[in-house]
Amino acid sequence: FNNLKKFSFLVHILADIFNKTPDVIAQKFNTSTSKKYCDLSHQLAIAIKKVARDKEASYEVKINTVKTLIEQGADVNFKNGNSPLEIAVLDLELVKDIDSLANSKQLIKLLLAHGAIATEAVFRFSRFSFFDLKENLMKNNVSPELIQSAQDEIIKLLIQHAS
């Protein structure tokens, strides 16, 4: 396989059959394509964490890094722990203001637009991030209406993309 998209498809089929993560399956191949697949996908997870956690780089630089990794073939449904979308949703608990909320929503939309499956992310958002997000934004004087609107939009996006 030299095509990362086809390799990703195969990895996910085998991961489902053998009840393993895509990471475990891909590593078993031990080819240049499997190594590239794993490397890009690990880099994507790191880049997504930096969107909410790295205060040094601008949002544009961070989101462009995510876009570039996806364009190069990083798997938006790669799982070694949490998927990229689950990471983005869990990091909503770090959101403190309207700008970072808008950035997080844009990241979630980007991942969904590239085929991220939202089933597990819906659960994580509704169970964990929902309350932390609300509490953090209220501490920073964001109106309850705006908070509710943002939460509704995020949950609607996730449910639309859940399988």
Side-chain angles (χ1 to χ4, degrees):
F1 275 98
N2 285 333
N3 182 317
L4 284 175
K5 190 170 187 156
K6 289 180 182 177
F7 183 77
S8 175
F9 181 73
L10 174 63
V11 164
H12 282 278
I13 289 173
L14 294 172
D16 288 344
I17 290 170
F18 294 107
N19 197 27
K20 302 284 184 188
T21 65
D23 184 47
V24 169
I25 297 295
Q27 288 181 23
K28 300 257 185 222
F29 280 88
N30 198 27
T31 64
S32 60
T33 300
S34 67
K35 290 174 185 173
K36 184 174 182 181
Y37 169 83
C38 289
D39 185 48
L40 285 171
S41 299
H42 284 289
Q43 287 180 45
L44 179 62
I46 292 166
I48 288 169
K49 289 176 185 176
K50 286 183 179 182
V51 170
R53 301 172 191 188
D54 180 0
K55 302 303 178 200
E56 300 296 318
S58 73
Y59 175 73
E60 290 76 24
V61 167
K62 294 182 282 191
I63 200 72
N64 284 336
T65 300
V66 170
K67 287 177 183 177
T68 299
L69 288 165
I70 292 170
E71 289 167 4
Q72 290 175 349
D75 181 0
V76 295
N77 291 304
F78 183 81
K79 201 162 185 160
N80 180 12
N82 292 316
S83 72
L85 183 59
E86 291 166 17
I87 294 167
V89 166
L90 289 170
D91 278 355
L92 284 167
E93 70 184 37
L94 304 174
V95 167
K96 305 270 191 248
D97 56 48
I98 294 298
D99 289 338
S100 57
L101 177 59
N103 294 345
S104 292
K105 286 193 307 188
Q106 185 180 353
L107 175 60
I108 289 168
K109 287 178 182 178
L110 174 69
L111 292 169
L112 291 170
H114 284 89
I117 298 171
T119 308
E120 195 65 28
V122 170
F123 170 74
R124 292 183 185 279
F125 179 69
S126 62
R127 184 139 186 234
F128 304 109
S129 302
F130 190 83
F131 299 106
D132 293 328
L133 174 64
K134 184 174 185 176
E135 185 178 314
N136 288 341
L137 291 172
M138 288 183 83
K139 284 180 186 175
N140 288 296
N141 300 318
V142 176
S143 75
E145 296 82 17
L146 190 56
I147 296 170
Q148 188 62 52
S149 173
Q151 289 176 325
D152 290 348
E153 181 183 355
I154 292 167
I155 201 73
K156 182 179 176 184
L157 279 168
L158 293 174
I159 288 172
Q160 287 172 342
H161 291 84
S163 60

